[in-house]
Amino acid sequence: VKFLDEYRNANAVRSVIKTIEQTVTRPWTLMEICGGQTHSIIRYGLDQLLPNDIALIHGPGCPVCVTPIEVIDRALLLASRDDVILASYGDMLRVPGSAVCHQNSTLPRDLFDVKSRGGDVRSVYSPLDAVALAREHPNKTVVFFAIGFETTAPANGMAVLQAAREKLDNFCVLASHVTVPPAICAMMESPDCRINGFLAAGHVCAIMGVSEYHALAKRYQIPIVVTGFEPLDLVYGILKCVQQLETGQYCVENAYRRTVNDAGNVTAQDVIQKVFEVCDRNWRGIGFIPNSGYRLSDNYAPFDAERRFADVMPDITEDTHICCSGAVLQGQIKPDDCPAFGNPCTPLTPLGATMVSSEGACAAYYKYGRVTA
Amino acid sequence: MIQPTCPLPVLHYDKIVMGHGSGGQMTEELVRDIFAPAFGMPKQLGDAAVLSKVDNGHLVFSTDSFVVQPLFFPGGNIGSLAVSGTVNDVAMMGATPLYLSVGFILEEGLQLDKLRQIVNTMADTARDAGVCIVTGDTKVVERGHGDGVYINTAGVGVQLGLEGPHSGNAKPGDVLLVNGTLGDHGMAIMGVRHGLNLGDALCSDAAPLNGLVKALLTVCPNIHVLRDLTRGGLAAATHEIAQDSGVVIEIEEACVPVKETVRGACEMLGFDVLQVANEGKLLAIVDASDADVVLNTMQAHPLGKEAACIGRVTDVSDGMVICKTAFGSTRVMDMPVGELLPRIC
């Protein structure tokens, strides 16, 4: 497949790894921000090929994983209503709500459970598919479960603009957007932080550009390398990061130029500006991070499911205590260090979202887990 | 002359109505007009069939139900699946499939033309496979209670060998062979569902494999395992075999044949091709000394031109499948969990 095979070329990847081997002189711990990067690293076994001095830890950049449990509960509740069609990205369907850790809960386990109880839950590829559902079902309220980082925010914003243009007052979004830079700050300021360099998420930067990261690199004196998702992209990003670390530099470097330019996608940024406003967010497993997300701005309040259904929304619930997905998301422990990993927590019986999403570090470990000879 | 003035009941509809499942005159008409001409002599299509006596060998019996949406897709329709699916299940036991039953659950409102098309495809596929459809049943459910057509088929065949291939029979040193590209059927269905509009570039591989199985067993009567790679794809099949046989199976990812269009569609929709369903592909696990002759026989057969050796059985274990990447690294290939879900990004 053109533009993929070139970046999965084994010889090219090996040659970059050789250069990394020649460059590295001492141990470094790098964090890849995005769950898509984690997925590729594990799927292609890239971490096995790197010199032992390079440790990769898997960042919080899986939107499915960090969506807080109370938002999942809200989605479960809305989806259970007779007057609602809930449309969602596919991998949100299996994320467990609070019923999984609180036996007495009357809430359904997950969106599949809602569906089996008669709720109308649809898996869509694009928020515009949800707008189309609203058009086709004027007697139902279509709620789009709008999660994701800066990457999905523009498309979700476009869906709101489209619904507004068409005056589709039966469309709304349950928005739980989060943003990368505040998460970097939260991790760097954690006393347990052992990160020496970041591989920034290429697609987030494709939207937002790289300007926000300069201040972070300077403040925390840490290299931030904008990195793509294919094996060659990833090893190249790692090389660039290691080169900076070995020479005592810390700056923002773009190792994903074929997709990311410094300014980002200005049109997409405009959509975000227009439709959303910055808000505080609770990150599942990590906790509360100020100014770390987007919610619908007041101008688009009628399209905000939280406001539309404010009187029926469930209270904030507590997450399970055995699951250590928070520490996993912050790179403090590896997934298989969690006492629940593999038993009782598996992709079939997940306790935390990191075991659900194929981008989640726990699921990636479980699915593609290592064989030690 | 006196004309009759009371309205006569209409018997000829262009769609399925509830009466078609009544067991009365309309059901009989459906059998007479659609099923019998396609499947053979009317006397054979009763509620039960008497089959010829089998003198030696074991009877093999299998059943499967088909609920695919869309009903029609590039490369086939629910009818071709319903025949190939059961024929293949019987064939994978190393048996020769002989007879099929067919049960239809039809939704009120289904166009008779569509039904006729499906039934004719079933008849053609059965003819290709050399099996007879000998008994059947039809029920009609109210509109909204079915997806047009559901089909159940059951098949009977005869296994002549002493012990046929089975999933607990893979041994360290064995070699894994597939008869062609993987993921074709699943992605043809997904392509239609998601409106990829790639036309025939994504085309189902649905086909009866009993002819190919016969050819393989002729050159190598001692095939250890035969599996059709349906739901869950190669990942699910190898996993089950590894567990049943208590072995480690190692897949060479770079050797697995996949069409470019299928690979592209999987990338776009976020699926792992090793977990995607096939309807005309089998996995044969054979002793290393038999691998060449089996592979050559596959490649000489019309349904095996792109056959390839994709891995081997390496060790005794409690059942594990390992994927070797093109980079030389490895990962564990797990059983797919539940429904295949596209990734968010």
Side-chain angles (χ1 to χ4, degrees):
Chain A
V1 178
K2 188 104 179 103
F3 302 126
L4 280 182
D5 292 345
E6 295 86 335
Y7 297 96
R8 292 178 187 172
N9 182 301
N11 288 334
V13 168
R14 271 188 220 113
S15 119
V16 175
I17 288 175
K18 200 159 179 205
T19 317
I20 296 174
E21 281 165 0
Q22 289 159 354
T23 310
V24 71
T25 63
R26 56 203 146 128
W28 299 112
T29 301
L30 313 182
M31 173 181 272
E32 81 277 2
I33 297 276
C34 174
Q37 293 168 326
T38 307
H39 184 86
S40 274
I41 288 168
I42 307 287
R43 185 177 195 292
Y44 295 104
L46 299 178
D47 50 343
Q48 296 167 34
L49 306 174
L50 291 169
N52 290 337
D53 275 340
I54 312 264
L56 291 176
I57 53 180
H58 314 307
C62 162
V64 177
C65 304
V66 297
T67 300
I69 199 159
E70 60 267 20
V71 178
I72 309 283
D73 281 353
R74 282 174 210 156
L76 295 175
L77 193 118
L78 291 180
S80 305
R81 290 173 63 102
D82 290 340
D83 55 348
V84 164
I85 298 174
L86 187 114
S88 166
Y89 294 120
D91 43 5
M92 286 307 284
L93 267 54
R94 224 169 20 220
V95 181
S98 61
V100 172
C101 35
H102 300 280
Q103 297 301 324
N104 54 356
S105 172
T106 52
L107 278 172
R109 278 182 63 91
D110 56 28
L111 286 168
F112 275 126
D113 193 11
V114 174
K115 210 169 163 213
S116 74
R117 297 180 190 199
D120 196 343
V121 179
R122 316 276 181 108
S123 155
V124 294
Y125 270 91
S126 155
L128 289 176
D129 295 343
V131 176
L133 280 174
R135 216 178 285 131
E136 288 158 25
H137 300 276
N139 299 326
K140 295 257 191 163
T141 301
V142 173
V143 179
F144 178 67
F145 198 177
I147 63 145
F149 280 82
E150 295 95 321
T151 27
T152 53
N156 296 347
M158 278 301 290
V160 171
L161 292 177
Q162 181 68 27
R165 209 173 299 133
E166 292 184 38
K167 299 191 170 53
L168 285 172
D169 55 10
N170 65 327
F171 177 82
C172 61
V173 297
L174 179 61
S176 185
H177 281 293
V178 281
T179 53
V180 169
I184 291 186
C185 297
M187 285 183 290
M188 288 311 296
E189 283 162 26
S190 153
D192 302 320
C193 177
R194 52 192 185 93
I195 303 162
N196 302 121
F198 283 105
L199 307 181
H203 52 5
V204 169
C205 297
I207 303 290
M208 303 306 288
V210 299
S211 60
E212 310 175 88
Y213 294 93
H214 290 296
L216 298 178
K218 203 170 161 191
R219 189 189 318 160
Y220 301 113
Q221 305 197 345
I222 194 162
I224 300 179
V225 179
V226 178
T227 305
F229 300 86
E230 295 303 326
L232 187 56
D233 293 321
L234 283 157
V235 290
Y236 186 61
I238 292 166
L239 172 64
K240 289 284 140 195
C241 205
V242 171
Q243 281 173 340
Q244 283 199 41
L245 288 165
E246 288 286 344
T247 53
Q249 294 177 65
Y250 45 86
C251 60
V252 176
E253 204 169 343
N254 186 353
Y256 196 34
R257 287 214 172 267
R258 74 175 188 282
T259 307
V260 176
N261 65 50
D262 287 353
N265 180 337
V266 179
T267 314
Q269 290 166 23
D270 286 347
V271 172
I272 295 178
Q273 284 258 317
K274 195 166 177 186
V275 178
F276 297 104
E277 62 191 25
V278 173
C279 67
D280 302 336
R281 279 271 176 229
N282 191 18
W283 295 50
R284 188 171 197 178
I286 296 180
F288 178 83
I289 306 178
N291 297 320
S292 66
Y294 299 133
R295 66 164 172 236
L296 283 188
S297 67
D298 289 345
N299 290 340
Y300 293 93
F303 295 98
D304 187 349
E306 301 247 13
R307 284 183 251 197
R308 187 179 294 209
F309 293 99
D311 47 332
V312 297
M313 286 300 187
D315 294 334
I316 289 184
T317 37
E318 239 187 282
D319 222 326
T320 168
H321 291 297
I322 1 171
C323 163
C324 301
S325 58
V328 172
L329 286 170
Q330 294 175 80
Q332 289 161 4
I333 63 168
K334 293 268 184 192
D336 47 1
D337 295 332
C338 172
F341 182 84
N343 181 25
C345 184
T346 70
L348 214 51
T349 53
L351 287 183
T354 42
M355 188 55 99
V356 175
S357 163
S358 57
E359 292 182 20
C362 295
Y365 259 64
Y366 191 87
K367 192 167 172 214
Y368 299 139
R370 283 306 108 67
V371 189
T372 37
Chain B
M1 196 204 265
I2 299 169
Q3 298 286 338
T5 51
C6 59
L8 284 169
V10 182
L11 288 181
H12 302 287
Y13 290 88
D14 61 351
K15 327 183 161 48
I16 289 294
V17 296
M18 291 307 290
H20 283 122
S22 65
Q25 222 176 318
M26 290 179 75
T27 309
E28 201 183 286
E29 205 176 73
L30 201 62
V31 173
R32 197 183 57 224
D33 291 352
I34 296 188
F35 299 140
F39 295 153
M41 298 297 287
K43 65 172 181 180
Q44 284 181 313
L45 270 178
D47 282 344
V50 178
L51 310 179
S52 330
K53 213 165 94 184
V54 179
D55 289 331
N56 48 8
H58 295 287
L59 284 180
V60 171
F61 183 41
S62 178
T63 182
D64 207 343
S65 299
F66 299 83
V67 296
V68 66
Q69 279 300 321
L71 297 174
F72 294 84
F73 45 81
N77 60 47
I78 189 171
S80 44
L81 289 190
V83 173
S84 315
T86 296
V87 163
N88 293 347
D89 283 344
V90 173
M92 293 309 134
M93 303 300 291
T96 305
L98 298 172
Y99 305 105
L100 292 186
S101 74
V102 52
F104 289 98
I105 296 175
L106 307 174
E107 186 187 5
E108 183 184 23
L110 173 76
Q111 295 288 335
L112 281 186
D113 274 351
K114 280 194 179 172
L115 178 64
R116 191 171 285 118
Q117 216 178 320
I118 290 166
V119 167
N120 288 340
T121 307
M122 292 182 79
D124 291 344
T125 314
R127 208 168 299 124
D128 287 350
V131 297
C132 299
I133 295 171
V134 290
T135 181
D137 178 55
T138 307
K139 295 283 187 293
V140 178
V141 293
E142 277 177 46
R143 188 183 259 277
H145 289 248
D147 277 329
V149 185
Y150 297 144
I151 304 176
N152 171 275
T153 50
V156 176
V158 180
Q159 187 189 55
L160 290 175
L162 280 177
E163 191 193 8
H166 63 90
S167 68
N169 205 18
K171 298 174 175 65
D174 284 359
V175 169
L176 278 74
L177 305 166
V178 292
N179 65 315
T181 54
L182 298 191
D184 297 4
H185 173 73
M187 292 322 289
I189 298 285
M190 292 295 179
V192 178
R193 280 191 198 159
H194 295 292
L196 289 188
N197 293 326
L198 293 177
D200 283 348
L202 294 176
C203 187
S204 169
D205 58 351
L209 294 169
N210 53 328
L212 175 63
V213 169
K214 195 173 173 191
L216 299 182
L217 285 169
T218 308
V219 297
C220 175
N222 185 28
I223 293 180
H224 293 172
V225 184
L226 271 179
R227 270 296 295 271
D228 50 346
L229 302 173
T230 53
R231 272 180 308 177
L234 182 72
T238 46
H239 220 267
E240 274 175 40
I241 295 164
Q243 279 185 339
D244 290 352
S245 301
V247 293
V248 178
I249 291 178
E250 201 172 278
I251 307 283
E252 289 280 348
E253 200 170 28
C255 299
V256 177
V258 180
K259 284 198 179 90
E260 281 289 284
T261 43
V262 169
R263 211 146 65 84
C266 280
E267 287 292 339
M268 260 193 276
L269 296 174
F271 294 113
D272 180 350
V273 72
L274 300 182
Q275 298 188 353
V276 175
N278 310 274
E279 290 292 344
K281 294 294 152 33
L282 61 79
L283 169 70
I285 301 186
V286 299
D287 193 275
S289 61
D290 292 327
D292 284 345
V293 66
V294 174
L295 183 62
N296 292 339
T297 309
M298 275 188 184
Q299 287 169 342
H301 193 276
L303 293 176
K305 284 187 192 124
E306 291 170 278
C309 170
I310 59 158
R312 59 204 182 92
V313 180
T314 57
D315 217 339
V316 176
S317 82
D318 53 357
M320 179 180 259
V321 185
I322 296 168
C323 209
K324 274 183 82 175
T325 72
F327 306 106
S329 53
T330 57
R331 66 169 191 269
V332 169
M333 191 157 85
D334 196 32
M335 189 86 153
V337 177
E339 206 177 326
L340 292 187
L341 294 175
R343 291 167 53 203
I344 172 170
C345 50

